[in-house]
Amino acid sequence: MRAKARAHPNIAVIKYWGKRDIERNLPAVGSISVTLSDLYSDMAIEVDTTLREDVLLVNGDESRSMLARVSSCVDNVAGSDRSCVKITSDGNFPIAAGLASSASAFAALVVASNAAFGLNKSHEELVNLAGRASGSAARSLLGGFVELENRDNEVVVGNLLAADDWPLRIIVAITAPGPKPLSSGDAMEISRKTSPFYDRWIEQQSEDLTEARAAIQDRDLIRLGAIAEHNCLKMHSVMWGSRPPMIYWNSATIACMQTVRDLQSQGIPVFFTIDAGPQLKAICAPEHEELVRDAMAATAGVVDVMVSGVGTGARLATT
Ligand code: DP6
């Protein structure tokens, strides 16, 4: 009655922003992401009938603030009449800082819970259970380039390319490692209720998905970069136009965007994307990794740089 799973965060090139059903946490739009290889979350879960409530350890310390969301995800997998569990979460990158830590953590948690309780849920069920905990987590069940599509009352994920098909490098420029002030889920709701740009965002998403899908199939970095930057900046425009406005960037985020623009003007194929946090992710081919990494590291306000390849989906690990 114990199991451990590893999953990697994913970075969306066409973003999920907005929910169509809050109760079931169903996204309002489809999205496309790339799963990272070098960043990970490990979730170990042990059923313990002597416990009176679940226990969560995050990187060695007991965490009560995240326990409710984690326990509810285990309830969704194993039923709320289940025995209590001890969950141990370990990762190698900052949590809740716009680096998709919830995606990797919940993807690993559903896989580990399914095994620890001896259940035999299908891949499709695990995708939807992960997505219910965090929309982006559904995508971390798979590796490579992943598209999430909406169906009536569920989501479906599929591979556009496997991890080895297009070996891009993702350079993450950390400009502030602390937790973000507002969760993505809360920010999405403020956007839906108040942003004058929200409806146009939803309307245009299928065009952006079509363009990105074609660029990925052709392995065309410049074409993918153009649509990914557009989609990212459009998502942030929705946030900036909300009331209250939501600005996740800091001055270093903008300096990093300028660094990417400078590299592009020198003819280097690289593009950026930014999620609900101040970190910037630059994506390029392996031959430009060193140049892009050094340029990001030299940008004013960058406190750390992490580099990753394209990774595989969530899987069980040895305990
Ligand atoms: C900006 O998946 O964190 O990273 O479903 O409320 O947990 P919840 O939201 P979450 O939102 C991710 C938003 C994003 C874009 C993306 O990853 O597609």
Side-chain angles (χ1 to χ4, degrees):
M1 297 291 269
R2 58 195 268 186
K4 182 172 166 183
R6 172 167 289 195
H8 303 278
N10 66 77
I11 302 296
V13 288
I14 300 294
K15 308 289 186 193
Y16 147 47
W17 195 255
K19 298 176 196 279
R20 69 177 194 282
D21 181 331
I22 296 188
E23 190 59 32
R24 281 178 287 189
N25 201 41
L26 292 171
V29 287
S31 53
I32 296 178
S33 60
V34 56
T35 304
L36 306 186
S37 55
D38 296 47
L39 278 58
Y40 65 81
S41 299
D42 283 339
M43 295 295 259
I45 176 162
E46 185 169 2
V47 179
D48 185 341
T49 47
T50 65
L51 288 175
R52 302 191 55 176
E53 58 174 5
D54 293 341
V55 176
L56 172 65
L57 293 175
V58 177
N59 295 327
D61 295 324
E62 188 165 353
S63 166
R64 293 204 70 85
S65 60
M66 286 181 250
L67 182 62
R69 198 168 166 202
V70 166
S71 287
S72 132
C73 175
V74 181
D75 285 352
N76 288 336
V77 178
S80 45
D81 55 351
R82 63 175 172 84
S83 305
C84 289
V85 291
K86 181 178 171 199
I87 301 150
T88 312
S89 166
D90 291 293
N92 67 343
F93 65 102
I95 295 175
L99 288 173
S101 55
S102 63
S104 48
F106 287 114
L109 184 60
V110 296
V111 171
S113 304
N114 184 43
F117 283 95
L119 307 167
N120 215 353
K121 300 211 179 271
S122 66
H123 171 76
E124 289 73 19
E125 284 176 287
L126 294 179
V127 164
N128 278 278
L129 287 161
R132 192 162 176 187
S134 184
S136 53
R139 298 184 310 233
S140 277
L141 265 292
L142 293 180
F145 277 86
V146 178
E147 177 163 5
L148 180 145
E149 290 176 73
N150 281 309
R151 296 281 158 84
D152 285 346
N153 285 321
E154 57 174 14
V155 294
V156 177
V157 294
N159 260 126
L160 296 176
L161 290 179
D164 300 337
D165 287 345
W166 197 13
L168 295 179
R169 305 296 291 170
I170 298 96
I171 289 114
V172 183
I174 314 264
T175 65
K180 56 191 167 195
L182 186 64
S183 76
S184 314
D186 291 344
M188 285 179 201
E189 272 307 280
I190 295 173
S191 294
R192 183 178 68 80
K193 289 182 186 143
T194 68
S195 180
F197 310 134
Y198 183 80
D199 290 348
R200 288 291 280 153
W201 157 258
I202 303 285
E203 268 167 45
Q204 290 193 346
Q205 187 78 343
S206 78
E207 283 169 40
D208 292 5
L209 288 163
T210 303
E211 175 67 7
R213 209 179 289 126
I216 290 166
Q217 253 127 31
D218 291 350
R219 296 169 179 64
D220 184 335
L221 189 74
I222 301 212
R223 193 171 167 199
L224 178 61
I227 191 63
E229 288 187 358
H230 167 71
N231 187 267
C232 162
L233 293 174
K234 197 160 55 176
M235 176 185 76
H236 285 277
S237 304
V238 172
M239 299 183 203
W240 284 41
S242 300
R243 302 187 76 166
M246 294 170 296
I247 302 172
Y248 281 104
W249 304 352
N250 57 31
S251 56
T253 318
I254 296 175
C256 287
M257 282 166 63
Q258 190 57 50
T259 299
V260 173
R261 284 283 175 269
D262 291 347
L263 290 164
Q264 289 170 339
S265 64
Q266 291 161 36
I268 307 297
V270 53
F271 70 89
F272 68 80
T273 190
I274 307 162
D275 292 295
Q279 335 307 350
L280 179 138
K281 295 100 183 183
I283 302 183
C284 64
E287 60 267 33
H288 298 120
E289 172 187 331
E290 211 176 311
L291 182 70
V292 174
R293 191 196 56 214
D294 291 352
M296 300 318 304
T299 300
V302 171
V303 293
D304 197 9
V305 175
M306 301 176 91
V307 179
S308 178
V310 180
T312 50
R315 65 222 175 257
L316 283 173
T318 42
T319 49

